[in-house]
Amino acid sequence: MKKDDRRLRPVDLARLAGVSTQQIRNYEDAGVLPPAARTASGYRAFGDVHRRALLAYRTMLRGYGPVTATRIMRTLHGGDTPGALALVDAAHAALHEERVSLRAASEALELLALEPPAPLPRSGGLRIGEVAALLGVRTSALRVWETAGLLTPSRERGTGYRTYTPADVRDARLVHTLRRSHYLFDQIRPVLEDLRREGSTEALRAAIAARGEALTARTRGMIEGAGALHAYLDACGGYGR
Protein backbone atom coordinates (compact mmCIF):
# COMPACT_ATOMS: atom_id res chain seq x y z
CA MET A 1 0.00 0.00 0.00
CA LYS A 2 1.42 3.33 -0.98
CA LYS A 3 1.60 5.75 1.90
CA ASP A 4 0.72 9.41 1.75
CA ASP A 5 3.82 11.30 2.90
CA ARG A 6 2.14 14.68 3.20
CA ARG A 7 3.04 16.59 6.32
CA LEU A 8 0.06 17.11 8.58
CA ARG A 9 -0.28 19.75 11.25
CA PRO A 10 -1.97 19.15 14.60
CA VAL A 11 -4.91 21.21 13.36
CA ASP A 12 -5.28 18.91 10.34
CA LEU A 13 -5.61 15.84 12.57
CA ALA A 14 -7.86 17.75 14.96
CA ARG A 15 -10.26 18.60 12.15
CA LEU A 16 -10.20 15.02 10.92
CA ALA A 17 -11.24 13.65 14.33
CA GLY A 18 -13.40 16.55 15.48
CA VAL A 19 -11.23 17.26 18.52
CA SER A 20 -9.03 20.14 19.65
CA THR A 21 -5.40 20.55 18.66
CA GLN A 22 -4.51 20.18 22.33
CA GLN A 23 -6.19 16.78 22.33
CA ILE A 24 -3.99 15.73 19.41
CA ARG A 25 -0.93 16.74 21.43
CA ASN A 26 -2.33 14.83 24.41
CA TYR A 27 -2.79 11.76 22.22
CA GLU A 28 0.85 11.85 21.21
CA ASP A 29 2.00 12.33 24.81
CA ALA A 30 -0.19 9.38 25.89
CA GLY A 31 1.21 7.10 23.18
CA VAL A 32 -2.07 6.91 21.28
CA LEU A 33 -0.14 8.34 18.32
CA PRO A 34 3.44 7.37 17.50
CA PRO A 35 6.04 10.05 18.24
CA ALA A 36 5.90 12.92 15.77
CA ALA A 37 8.87 14.45 14.04
CA ARG A 38 9.70 18.08 14.78
CA THR A 39 10.33 20.87 12.33
CA ALA A 40 13.40 23.07 12.62
CA SER A 41 11.30 25.50 14.61
CA GLY A 42 10.12 22.78 16.98
CA TYR A 43 6.59 22.27 15.68
CA ARG A 44 5.10 18.78 15.50
CA ALA A 45 5.04 17.29 12.02
CA PHE A 46 2.57 14.46 11.64
CA GLY A 47 2.19 12.13 8.69
CA ASP A 48 -0.03 9.43 7.26
CA VAL A 49 0.89 6.97 9.99
CA HIS A 50 -0.46 9.38 12.59
CA ARG A 51 -3.66 9.86 10.60
CA ARG A 52 -4.15 6.10 10.46
CA ALA A 53 -3.38 5.72 14.17
CA LEU A 54 -5.87 8.45 15.03
CA LEU A 55 -8.64 6.93 12.94
CA ALA A 56 -7.98 3.47 14.39
CA TYR A 57 -8.05 4.80 17.95
CA ARG A 58 -11.21 6.84 17.46
CA THR A 59 -12.93 3.79 15.99
CA MET A 60 -11.77 1.60 18.89
CA LEU A 61 -13.20 4.01 21.44
CA ARG A 62 -16.75 2.94 20.65
CA GLY A 63 -16.24 -0.66 21.75
CA TYR A 64 -13.18 -0.71 23.98
CA GLY A 65 -13.59 2.61 25.78
CA PRO A 66 -10.87 5.23 26.30
CA VAL A 67 -8.85 3.43 28.98
CA THR A 68 -8.44 0.12 27.15
CA ALA A 69 -8.08 1.72 23.71
CA THR A 70 -5.33 3.99 25.02
CA ARG A 71 -3.50 1.08 26.64
CA ILE A 72 -3.68 -0.92 23.41
CA MET A 73 -2.27 1.90 21.28
CA ARG A 74 0.38 2.86 23.83
CA THR A 75 1.55 -0.76 24.08
CA LEU A 76 1.59 -1.07 20.31
CA HIS A 77 3.59 2.10 19.83
CA GLY A 78 5.93 0.95 22.56
CA GLY A 79 6.96 -1.86 20.24
CA ASP A 80 5.01 -4.66 21.93
CA THR A 81 2.52 -5.85 19.32
CA PRO A 82 1.82 -9.19 21.09
CA GLY A 83 1.15 -7.28 24.31
CA ALA A 84 -1.27 -4.96 22.52
CA LEU A 85 -3.12 -7.91 21.02
CA ALA A 86 -3.25 -9.57 24.45
CA LEU A 87 -5.09 -6.49 25.71
CA VAL A 88 -7.56 -6.91 22.85
CA ASP A 89 -8.05 -10.55 23.84
CA ALA A 90 -8.59 -9.60 27.48
CA ALA A 91 -11.23 -7.03 26.55
CA HIS A 92 -13.15 -9.59 24.51
CA ALA A 93 -12.86 -12.15 27.32
CA ALA A 94 -14.23 -9.64 29.83
CA LEU A 95 -17.17 -8.93 27.55
CA HIS A 96 -17.81 -12.67 27.29
CA GLU A 97 -17.91 -12.95 31.08
CA GLU A 98 -20.47 -10.17 31.18
CA ARG A 99 -22.57 -12.14 28.71
CA VAL A 100 -22.25 -15.27 30.86
CA SER A 101 -23.49 -13.34 33.91
CA LEU A 102 -26.33 -11.87 31.90
CA ARG A 103 -27.31 -15.30 30.62
CA ALA A 104 -27.22 -16.60 34.18
CA ALA A 105 -29.57 -13.85 35.31
CA SER A 106 -31.94 -14.48 32.43
CA GLU A 107 -31.93 -18.23 33.00
CA ALA A 108 -32.50 -17.79 36.71
CA LEU A 109 -35.56 -15.63 36.10
CA GLU A 110 -36.98 -18.16 33.65
CA LEU A 111 -36.42 -21.07 36.02
CA LEU A 112 -37.86 -19.17 38.96
CA ALA A 113 -40.94 -18.38 36.89
CA LEU A 114 -41.39 -22.08 36.16
CA GLU A 115 -41.01 -23.01 39.83
CA PRO A 116 -43.34 -20.87 41.96
CA PRO A 117 -41.87 -20.49 45.44
CA ALA A 118 -43.29 -22.66 48.19
CA PRO A 119 -45.12 -20.64 50.85
CA LEU A 120 -43.03 -19.72 53.87
CA PRO A 121 -43.95 -21.66 57.01
CA ARG A 122 -44.45 -18.41 58.89
CA SER A 123 -44.24 -14.67 58.35
CA GLY A 124 -41.31 -14.02 60.67
CA GLY A 125 -37.65 -14.75 60.00
CA LEU A 126 -36.77 -18.37 59.30
CA ARG A 127 -33.99 -20.42 60.83
CA ILE A 128 -31.35 -22.05 58.67
CA GLY A 129 -32.90 -25.51 59.03
CA GLU A 130 -36.26 -24.24 57.85
CA VAL A 131 -34.72 -22.62 54.78
CA ALA A 132 -32.73 -25.76 54.00
CA ALA A 133 -35.89 -27.88 54.21
CA LEU A 134 -37.80 -25.41 52.06
CA LEU A 135 -35.17 -25.57 49.29
CA GLY A 136 -34.29 -29.23 49.70
CA VAL A 137 -30.61 -28.57 50.47
CA ARG A 138 -28.30 -29.21 53.40
CA THR A 139 -27.70 -26.50 55.96
CA SER A 140 -24.01 -26.80 55.12
CA ALA A 141 -24.79 -25.57 51.59
CA LEU A 142 -26.40 -22.43 52.99
CA ARG A 143 -23.35 -21.84 55.17
CA VAL A 144 -21.04 -22.24 52.17
CA TRP A 145 -23.10 -19.75 50.18
CA GLU A 146 -22.94 -17.34 53.09
CA THR A 147 -19.17 -17.73 53.38
CA ALA A 148 -18.91 -16.98 49.65
CA GLY A 149 -20.79 -13.72 50.26
CA LEU A 150 -23.90 -14.77 48.35
CA LEU A 151 -26.22 -14.77 51.36
CA THR A 152 -26.24 -12.33 54.26
CA PRO A 153 -28.77 -13.49 56.87
CA SER A 154 -28.98 -11.47 60.06
CA ARG A 155 -28.28 -12.90 63.51
CA GLU A 156 -30.56 -12.98 66.52
CA ARG A 157 -29.35 -11.07 69.52
CA GLY A 158 -28.25 -13.29 72.32
CA THR A 159 -28.50 -16.64 70.52
CA GLY A 160 -26.59 -15.70 67.37
CA TYR A 161 -28.93 -17.85 65.29
CA ARG A 162 -29.24 -16.96 61.62
CA THR A 163 -32.51 -15.34 60.61
CA TYR A 164 -33.61 -15.42 56.98
CA THR A 165 -36.03 -12.76 55.77
CA PRO A 166 -38.24 -13.37 52.69
CA ALA A 167 -35.61 -11.56 50.61
CA ASP A 168 -32.89 -13.87 52.00
CA VAL A 169 -35.01 -16.90 51.11
CA ARG A 170 -35.50 -15.49 47.60
CA ASP A 171 -31.72 -15.08 47.25
CA ALA A 172 -31.07 -18.59 48.54
CA ARG A 173 -33.57 -19.99 46.09
CA LEU A 174 -31.89 -18.15 43.22
CA VAL A 175 -28.46 -19.43 44.26
CA HIS A 176 -29.82 -22.97 44.46
CA THR A 177 -31.41 -22.63 41.01
CA LEU A 178 -28.19 -21.41 39.40
CA ARG A 179 -25.97 -23.93 41.18
CA ARG A 180 -28.13 -26.72 39.75
CA SER A 181 -27.37 -25.24 36.34
CA HIS A 182 -23.63 -25.42 37.16
CA TYR A 183 -23.01 -21.68 37.44
CA LEU A 184 -20.00 -20.64 39.53
CA PHE A 185 -20.18 -18.38 42.56
CA ASP A 186 -18.48 -15.54 40.66
CA GLN A 187 -21.15 -15.82 37.98
CA ILE A 188 -23.99 -15.90 40.49
CA ARG A 189 -22.83 -12.93 42.55
CA PRO A 190 -23.61 -10.28 39.89
CA VAL A 191 -27.09 -11.77 39.44
CA LEU A 192 -27.83 -11.33 43.14
CA GLU A 193 -26.40 -7.82 43.14
CA ASP A 194 -28.62 -6.91 40.20
CA LEU A 195 -31.71 -8.39 41.83
CA ARG A 196 -31.08 -6.52 45.08
CA ARG A 197 -30.44 -3.29 43.22
CA GLU A 198 -33.49 -3.55 40.99
CA GLY A 199 -35.74 -4.72 43.83
CA SER A 200 -37.93 -7.16 41.89
CA THR A 201 -37.69 -9.84 39.23
CA GLU A 202 -39.77 -7.69 36.86
CA ALA A 203 -37.38 -4.76 37.18
CA LEU A 204 -34.41 -7.11 36.81
CA ARG A 205 -35.91 -8.58 33.63
CA ALA A 206 -36.16 -5.08 32.14
CA ALA A 207 -32.60 -4.30 33.22
CA ILE A 208 -31.37 -7.54 31.63
CA ALA A 209 -33.00 -6.63 28.33
CA ALA A 210 -31.43 -3.17 28.38
CA ARG A 211 -28.03 -4.56 29.28
CA GLY A 212 -28.29 -7.15 26.52
CA GLU A 213 -28.82 -4.37 23.99
CA ALA A 214 -25.84 -2.48 25.41
CA LEU A 215 -23.61 -5.55 25.21
CA THR A 216 -24.64 -6.11 21.61
CA ALA A 217 -23.71 -2.52 20.79
CA ARG A 218 -20.34 -2.94 22.52
CA THR A 219 -19.68 -6.17 20.66
CA ARG A 220 -20.37 -4.48 17.35
CA GLY A 221 -18.12 -1.62 18.40
CA MET A 222 -15.33 -4.03 19.33
CA ILE A 223 -15.61 -5.83 16.01
CA GLU A 224 -15.39 -2.52 14.18
CA GLY A 225 -12.50 -1.39 16.37
CA ALA A 226 -10.59 -4.63 15.94
CA GLY A 227 -10.99 -4.29 12.18
CA ALA A 228 -9.61 -0.75 12.30
CA LEU A 229 -6.68 -1.90 14.41
CA HIS A 230 -5.99 -4.75 11.98
CA ALA A 231 -5.98 -2.32 9.05
CA TYR A 232 -3.61 0.00 10.94
CA LEU A 233 -1.22 -2.87 11.70
CA ASP A 234 -1.25 -3.98 8.07
CA ALA A 235 -0.63 -0.46 6.77
CA CYS A 236 2.23 0.12 9.21
CA GLY A 237 3.94 -3.24 8.90
CA GLY A 238 2.61 -4.67 12.14
CA TYR A 239 5.14 -2.81 14.30
CA GLY A 240 7.71 -5.59 14.22
CA ARG A 241 5.13 -8.35 14.01
Side-chain angles (χ1 to χ4, degrees):
M1 180 183 295
K2 184 177 179 180
K3 295 183 180 180
D4 187 344
D5 294 326
R6 288 180 304 165
R7 178 180 296 176
L8 299 172
R9 302 165 299 169
V11 67
D12 297 323
L13 292 182
R15 287 170 180 165
L16 179 66
V19 298
S20 67
T21 54
Q22 181 58 52
Q23 186 64 62
I24 296 298
R25 289 189 283 269
N26 292 343
Y27 282 162
E28 185 197 1
D29 292 340
V32 167
L33 304 180
R38 293 293 195 276
T39 65
S41 55
Y43 290 108
R44 289 174 170 85
F46 296 105
D48 188 61
V49 66
H50 300 93
R51 180 185 67 82
R52 292 178 181 276
L54 177 62
L55 292 177
Y57 174 74
R58 297 291 294 184
T59 303
M60 291 171 62
L61 284 177
R62 302 182 192 117
Y64 295 93
V67 174
T68 299
T70 297
R71 289 183 63 199
I72 291 170
M73 296 300 282
R74 182 170 60 237
T75 303
L76 180 64
H77 294 143
D80 184 6
T81 299
L85 296 180
L87 291 172
V88 172
D89 292 341
H92 285 263
L95 185 63
H96 172 70
E97 285 303 313
E98 286 190 52
R99 284 197 180 279
V100 170
S101 295
L102 192 67
R103 186 168 63 248
S106 181
E107 182 174 331
L109 290 180
E110 294 305 318
L111 292 174
L112 289 175
L114 293 173
E115 301 176 7
L120 301 183
R122 49 193 171 83
S123 58
L126 302 185
R127 297 284 176 81
I128 188 170
E130 294 174 306
V131 177
L134 194 65
L135 299 181
V137 301
R138 297 178 181 274
T139 56
S140 58
L142 292 170
R143 293 190 183 95
V144 169
W145 300 344
E146 181 181 348
T147 300
L150 302 178
L151 302 179
T152 56
S154 59
R155 300 273 185 160
E156 287 184 352
R157 288 185 178 180
T159 65
Y161 290 142
R162 293 172 176 83
T163 301
Y164 292 78
T165 65
D168 294 324
V169 176
R170 176 204 63 191
D171 291 350
R173 182 167 170 256
L174 189 146
V175 174
H176 180 43
T177 297
L178 290 179
R179 288 298 289 163
R180 285 186 298 174
S181 296
H182 308 292
Y183 283 99
L184 304 176
F185 288 162
D186 286 344
Q187 296 167 338
I188 296 173
R189 190 171 292 109
V191 181
L192 288 169
E193 292 171 353
D194 286 347
L195 181 58
R196 291 163 184 161
R197 181 172 57 252
E198 298 300 334
S200 70
T201 55
E202 292 76 13
L204 178 56
R205 184 171 284 105
I208 288 172
R211 189 183 303 173
E213 293 177 359
L215 287 180
T216 296
R218 280 179 56 197
T219 298
R220 292 175 64 89
M222 281 187 172
I223 292 172
E224 185 181 11
L229 180 63
H230 180 268
Y232 176 56
L233 284 169
D234 268 0
C236 302
Y239 278 88
R241 170 180 56 180

